[in-house]
Amino acid sequence: MTDIRKPLALPSTAFALPVLPGTALEAVSGANAGDTLSFATDLVPDDVYSLTRGARLRNLSLHPDGPARFRVSKDSVVGQPGALIHLDSCLTFMSPDGQTGDMLVLVEVDEAGDVAEIHAMPLGPLAPKTRYSLVTIDPERAATRLAEIACVSFTRGTHITMASGEQRLIEDLRLGDRVLTRDEGPQEIRWIGHNTTRAHGEQAPIVITAGTLHNANDLIVSPEHRLFIYQRADILGAGRSEVLVRARLLVNGTTVYRQPGGFVDYFQILFDRHQIIYAEGIAAETLLLDPRTKPVLPDALAEKLAATLGTRHAVGLDVFEIDAQLLDVPNVADLLRRASLG
């Protein structure tokens, strides 16, 4: 079996966040009445905001550039390519019916270090002509909330292939359990994460229905989760047989679709190295520790694992990710299924 960590000369792909411009949220009452959304030190609790007419989400594509720092990718829809982005804060808003929802604030700065743009990523639904009260302003929680979004996650009810061949539900896994990995055989689980979040918009989980990629049951994963596919025939012209594909790029509305609404239980699995395991029979990646995802670990655990994990997660599987442009074809999931058959 080929170890897919052998490097290829391919760039790492940026991750995309669906954001609103700060100008899309205007304070309609309170201390900042008449102003648009700003960064944490300018905000005041109990101010009331409303979504401006015609506001829509657009993708901000980023590359990590250190803890809570990023650079705008050249293919980003919004933002100045190469500009520095600071993760500023996590805001909590309350709607008139008492429902609360979080929002991440990211600050883009220019070469002089001045604020160029405010980007807001809502983690819950926002409706026009609705008044949202700003309940909390929390700079400390922002990194953890972004990490939860960035983590590749399986949903409750997913069957994972163990080293023994047993199919075990992900919620029943325990530390030290041995899971079958594609490249290194049986490996012990070092950490299991679990969070419950709103299944909202672009962050709603992706359902890959049974049989679509030779899976016995539906596989439901986070949108950024990458699946490993071995092509016996290079139908897409990737130039190689082994590729990683983000689940969100497979959406066709029928055999692969988003599942919005309500809440979703997400689980993450961490090994000593970034691994490919088998979920519902589909080869899929596990958690990769990087500047985005590391804050999801409890502080004590992160410190404990630092010495043993070292740089083992630095050499990830990014080089095998297929160019998104090659996937911009009708029913790419069906094409990949046929490619895997030869």
Side-chain angles (χ1 to χ4, degrees), residues 2 64 68 90 104 111 113 142 144 179 204 209 231 253:
T2 303
C90 179
L104 295 181
E111 293 182 356
T144 300
V179 173
T209 57
Q231 299 187 104

Side-chain angles (χ1 to χ4, degrees), residues 18-290:
V19 299
L20 295 166
T23 54
L25 290 151
E26 181 179 354
V28 294
S29 68
N32 286 321
D35 294 339
T36 56
L37 190 72
S38 186
F39 43 83
T41 55
D42 281 355
L43 299 176
V44 178
D46 297 327
D47 278 2
V48 179
Y49 286 80
S50 181
L51 193 64
T52 59
R53 184 176 181 180
R56 63 189 182 93
L57 294 167
R58 301 173 74 188
N59 279 342
L60 174 66
S61 296
L62 303 174
H63 289 285
D65 190 58
R69 285 165 44 108
F70 308 91
R71 294 280 178 181
V72 180
S73 171
K74 64 180 181 180
D75 61 351
S76 184
V77 176
V78 297
Q80 180 64 37
L84 187 63
I85 296 277
H86 293 281
L87 181 58
D88 178 73
S89 56
C90 179
L91 310 180
T92 301
F93 288 93
M94 179 179 290
S95 60
D97 61 1
Q99 297 293 315
T100 59
D102 289 342
M103 177 181 294
L104 295 181
V105 176
L106 301 101
V107 178
E108 179 179 341
V109 298
D110 59 24
E111 293 182 356
D114 297 325
V115 175
E117 182 68 84
I118 301 293
H119 303 282
M121 181 182 179
L123 304 183
L126 291 177
K129 299 181 180 179
T130 302
R131 297 165 65 91
Y132 295 96
S133 299
L134 180 56
V135 179
T136 59
I137 306 162
D138 191 346
E140 301 299 323
R141 197 161 63 101
T144 300
R145 291 295 278 131
L146 181 60
E148 291 173 351
I149 296 166
C151 286
V152 295
S153 305
F154 301 97
T155 58
R156 181 180 295 277
T158 300
H159 291 90
I160 302 298
T161 302
M162 309 301 292
S164 64
E166 174 194 354
Q167 300 297 304
R168 188 178 301 175
L169 293 174
I170 193 164
E171 60 266 32
D172 293 336
L173 295 178
R174 297 293 180 267
L175 296 183
D177 283 351
R178 291 166 63 81
V179 173
L180 180 65
T181 71
R182 181 185 184 275
D183 297 312
E184 297 185 315
Q187 292 294 312
E188 291 188 2
I189 297 174
R190 296 299 300 270
W191 179 75
I192 302 171
H194 172 225
N195 64 288
T196 302
T197 189
R198 288 182 180 273
H200 167 62
E202 293 293 315
Q203 299 306 312
I206 305 297
V207 180
I208 301 167
T209 57
T212 300
L213 293 175
H214 311 295
N215 42 316
N217 304 303
D218 290 355
L219 174 64
I220 308 175
V221 294
S222 56
E224 293 294 310
H225 208 135
R226 295 181 297 184
L227 311 176
F228 171 80
I229 296 172
Y230 181 85
Q231 299 187 104
R232 298 182 183 277
D234 189 9
I235 295 176
L236 294 176
R240 59 195 186 280
S241 58
E242 297 163 322
V243 298
L244 287 171
V245 181
R246 294 181 190 267
R248 63 178 172 82
L249 298 177
L250 298 177
V251 171
N252 57 25
T254 54
T255 60
V256 184
Y257 59 91
R258 295 187 184 276
Q259 191 175 64
F263 291 83
V264 59
D265 279 333
Y266 277 138
F267 292 83
Q268 305 86 33
I269 309 175
L270 177 70
F271 295 91
D272 283 341
R273 288 182 68 177
H274 191 197
Q275 298 287 356
I276 296 293
I277 62 172
Y278 299 93
E280 302 296 358
I282 295 180
E285 69 174 327
T286 59
L287 178 62
L288 171 66
L289 283 185
D290 64 16

